Amino acid sequence: MKYTVMIPAAGSGQRMGAGFNKLFLTLGEKPIFIHTLKVFEADPFCAGIILAVKNEEKQEIEAYLKQFDISKVQAIVEGGTERQYSVAACLEAYLEDGIVLVHDAARPFIRRAVIHSLVQEAAAHGAAITGVKAKDTMKLAPAGIVEETVNRDYLWIVQTPQAFQYEILKKASDKAIADHFLGTDESMLVERTGHPVRVVEGTYDNVKMTTQEDLAIGEILLKRVQQEENT
Ligand code: CTP
Ligand code: MG
């Protein structure tokens, strides 16, 4: 089943503390976002990529796309001040009515098998997200005092990609913007329209490169991926 992926890459990487967009930091020999794009470039089911970037970084990003032979980028749009607005800009640039995936440029270790399960689920039910089960004991402690130990079986640590039938996400995104509602993921926007969102079990290694520690983990994960590719 074909899909188009929207990749927000217009952040500033504050928590990484590099002083520039963290996506330009390298893992192995490639910038983080190139690793992410390569996954989709190599997936025959991926029909195209829509990228949201900052205007001032567009040229540099285009040069990297050329250098690393990324050919599936159909549109590069200007990102917004919040991730949600960057995704909204991508949605404006999509002119079909198929399955769209939203995936953070900062998650280079997404696996093709997870992408495909997600796309299938979204094709069947309209909206699907990927996540992993919490490994630790989870407690609710709003004021620093434990109120409750939450049943771990019900809790999911949610990641991207998230997949939707285009119209479902577009309507949810338009409504959120009209309502001045800011969500932390696309699912939140769809949830508030009442459309059910299915969870697909993903992998723990789909980490988002957010802080310095993640880079160290990223280097290890990259070696593992490269070993898998060579066997
Ligand atoms: N993103 C975006 N537009 C924004 C903010 C974020 O396109 N206005 C993108 C980032 O580039 C990243 C993804 O959304 O690929 C996930 O965001 P996050 O990990 O929070 O990245 P940053 O916002 O760059 O980092 P920070 O929050 O630490 O500043
Ligand atoms: Mg951010």
Side-chain angles (χ1 to χ4, degrees):
M1 177 111 218
K2 295 266 181 189
Y3 65 89
T4 297
V5 63
M6 330 237 132
I7 302 194
S12 49
Q14 289 291 330
R15 286 169 288 177
M16 188 62 80
F20 53 87
N21 187 346
K22 65 185 179 183
L23 298 173
F24 292 115
L25 291 170
T26 55
L27 285 176
E29 280 151 19
K30 301 184 192 84
I32 291 171
F33 75 99
I34 292 292
H35 287 287
T36 310
L37 290 173
K38 284 266 180 203
V39 174
F40 294 100
E41 181 73 22
D43 180 7
F45 289 174
C46 176
I49 300 168
I50 299 178
L51 206 54
V53 307
K54 281 196 186 128
N55 253 349
E56 61 269 30
E57 291 172 353
K58 192 174 177 202
Q59 275 196 336
E60 193 176 355
I61 286 177
E62 279 173 334
Y64 277 120
L65 297 180
K66 222 171 152 187
Q67 183 186 343
F68 291 103
D69 294 318
I70 307 290
S71 64
K72 285 190 183 171
V73 175
Q74 293 174 339
I76 302 183
V77 300
E78 186 178 357
T81 50
E82 300 285 347
R83 184 185 169 285
Q84 181 179 314
Y85 302 141
S86 297
V87 173
C90 291
L91 291 171
E92 289 293 328
Y94 178 80
L95 304 169
E96 295 154 67
D97 190 19
I99 298 296
V100 294
L101 227 75
V102 178
H103 184 64
D104 295 327
R107 287 186 197 268
F109 300 109
I110 180 59
R111 289 176 181 266
R112 197 187 288 182
V114 175
I115 296 173
H116 291 179
S117 321
L118 207 60
V119 168
Q120 249 181 355
E121 202 70 359
H125 304 287
I129 62 178
T130 184
V132 288
K133 290 213 166 141
K135 292 183 194 176
D136 297 318
T137 297
M138 305 296 278
K139 295 190 192 285
L140 204 65
I145 296 167
V146 176
E147 249 175 31
E148 188 191 337
T149 301
V150 188
N151 186 345
R152 211 163 50 181
D153 294 339
Y154 299 158
L155 287 182
W156 289 86
I157 299 166
V158 166
Q159 311 166 336
T160 69
Q162 303 195 344
F164 308 89
Q165 274 160 10
Y166 173 72
E167 271 306 314
I168 292 174
L169 180 57
K170 179 72 167 90
K171 277 192 190 133
S173 168
D174 287 350
K175 182 170 163 31
I177 287 168
D179 296 347
H180 303 287
F181 176 85
L182 206 56
T184 48
D185 68 352
E186 283 54 62
S187 179
M188 268 181 94
L189 314 186
V190 171
E191 288 157 36
R192 59 194 290 282
T193 68
H195 194 288
V197 178
R198 302 225 166 190
V199 183
V200 168
E201 191 153 17
T203 61
Y204 289 101
D205 58 8
N206 182 25
V207 271
K208 183 156 68 70
M209 297 297 115
T210 307
T211 57
Q212 290 287 331
E213 305 80 78
D214 298 319
L215 291 179
I217 295 165
E219 291 291 353
I220 294 166
L221 291 173
L222 181 64
K223 287 208 180 81
R224 215 176 66 183
V225 170
Q226 285 167 343
Q227 271 165 8
E228 279 173 14
E229 280 169 358
N230 293 331
T231 52

